[in-house]
């Protein structure tokens, strides 16, 4: 019921889905067998309101963007992924790009770096944020560059590239942006600059999810109903 995000369990290959409108997370085996459903609508520990982003940490912990509650929840899974135990909640409601780091407003995309740093697209606050393993939050609303930079606008997705850089689906600005872990700009790219053919009704992209396979990049161009395949150099 509006399956919004998915993540692959690194050890088992099981598929975890943020089932947004049902306020649940569901897990399936690689062959499609249902093995776990957890969560219910609410604000208590382990409950959800419109969960959207979902990602695994290097230690096997599962992180879920509890978007309607403006927070992130972390779970530990049993062997075989048959049960999920709530571990921690991070973040709280806060509005505006200048809200204190750690305040969230409809977080959407989420990714976890190999060092355990959690990256989240703080969508309605127009920024991305990182949460270190020591619990320190850092917010980035404008990439850092030698020229005046455009602030993020409704970023929906955030991904950690194989080289450790952070790629942002800056949906409201119709571009993808790559920054280093302190916010320094690597590049900003639009459909035109990447040579992406226009869709039948639109010449811009509406990026959401970004996934990597070596130097191949898969980008969901969500409102143009397509997946764009890119190469890096």
């Amino acid at each position: 019921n509006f399956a919004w995000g998915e993540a692959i369990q690194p050890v088992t290959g099981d598929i975890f889905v943020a089932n947004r409108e049902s306020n649940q997370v569901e897990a399936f085996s690689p062959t499609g067998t249902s093995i776990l459903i957890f969560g219910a609508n609410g604000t208590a520990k382990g409950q959800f309101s419109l969960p959207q982003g979902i990602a695994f940490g290097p230690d096997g912990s599962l992180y879920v963007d509890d978007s309607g509650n403006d927070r992130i929840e972390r779970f530990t899974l049993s062997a075989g992924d048959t049960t999920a135990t709530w571990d921690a909640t991070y973040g709280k409601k806060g509005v505006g790009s200048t809200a204190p780091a750690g305040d969230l407003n409809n977080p959407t995309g989420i990714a976890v770096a190999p060092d355990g740093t959690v990256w989240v697209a703080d969508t309605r606050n127009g920024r991305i944020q990182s949460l270190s393993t020591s619990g320190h939050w850092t917010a980035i609303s404008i990439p850092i560059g030698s020229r005046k930079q455009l602030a993020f606008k409704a970023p929906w997705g955030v991904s950690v590239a194989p080289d450790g850089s952070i790629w942002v689906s800056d949906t409201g600005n119709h571009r993808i942006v790559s920054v280093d872990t302190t916010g320094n700009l690597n590049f900003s790219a639009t459909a035109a600059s990447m040579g992406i053919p226009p869709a039948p009704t639109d010449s811009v992209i509406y990026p959401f999810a970004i996934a990597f396979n070596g130097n191949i990049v898969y980008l969901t161009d969500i409102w143009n109903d397509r997946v764009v395949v890119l190469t890096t150099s």
Side-chain angles (χ1 to χ4, degrees):
N1 188 8
F2 208 140
W4 186 280
E6 57 76 31
I8 306 299
Q9 217 273 22
V11 175
T12 63
D14 293 335
I15 303 146
F16 282 70
V17 180
N19 191 9
R20 193 183 84 155
E21 297 299 315
S22 293
N23 298 299
Q24 293 176 326
V25 169
E26 299 194 36
F28 302 87
S29 74
T31 57
T33 300
S34 178
I35 56 178
L36 175 64
I37 299 174
F38 67 95
N41 187 26
T43 60
K45 297 175 181 178
Q47 294 183 333
F48 302 117
S49 174
L50 306 176
Q52 296 186 157
I54 189 169
F56 280 95
D59 63 352
S61 295
L62 180 68
Y63 293 82
V64 180
D65 271 332
D66 185 14
S67 302
N69 286 324
D70 304 299
R71 64 185 184 180
I72 298 167
E73 295 194 84
R74 190 186 79 212
F75 299 86
T76 295
L77 299 168
S78 65
D81 299 333
T82 55
T83 62
T85 303
W86 173 90
D87 282 332
T89 297
Y90 307 102
K92 60 182 178 64
K93 176 74 172 184
V95 177
S97 61
T98 60
D103 285 6
L104 300 170
N105 189 4
N106 194 215
T108 303
I110 191 170
V112 187
D115 67 357
T117 301
V118 177
W119 289 87
V120 60
D122 186 12
T123 303
R124 288 189 179 174
N125 281 337
R127 60 188 183 177
I128 61 172
Q129 295 200 55
S130 65
L131 174 64
S132 72
T133 55
S134 62
H136 177 72
W137 285 93
T138 300
I140 303 169
S141 58
I142 303 174
I144 302 167
S146 58
R147 299 178 180 178
K148 184 177 180 181
Q149 298 298 318
L150 192 65
F152 292 124
K153 183 179 180 182
W156 271 19
V158 62
S159 299
V160 180
D163 65 1
S165 60
I166 310 305
W167 287 38
V168 183
S169 294
D170 191 14
T171 313
N173 285 320
H174 310 293
R175 62 177 183 167
I176 58 174
V177 177
S178 173
V179 296
D180 67 16
T181 55
T182 58
N184 294 296
L185 180 70
N186 295 321
F187 68 81
S188 171
T190 63
S193 68
M194 290 185 287
I196 298 174
T201 59
D202 217 326
S203 62
V204 299
I205 55 172
Y206 300 89
F208 179 27
I210 299 174
F212 300 89
N213 181 15
N215 70 334
I216 303 298
V217 182
Y218 298 90
L219 171 69
T220 56
D221 184 13
I222 192 164
W223 283 312
N224 285 323
D225 302 311
R226 62 184 180 176
V227 175
V228 179
V229 183
L230 309 167
T231 56
T232 60
S233 58

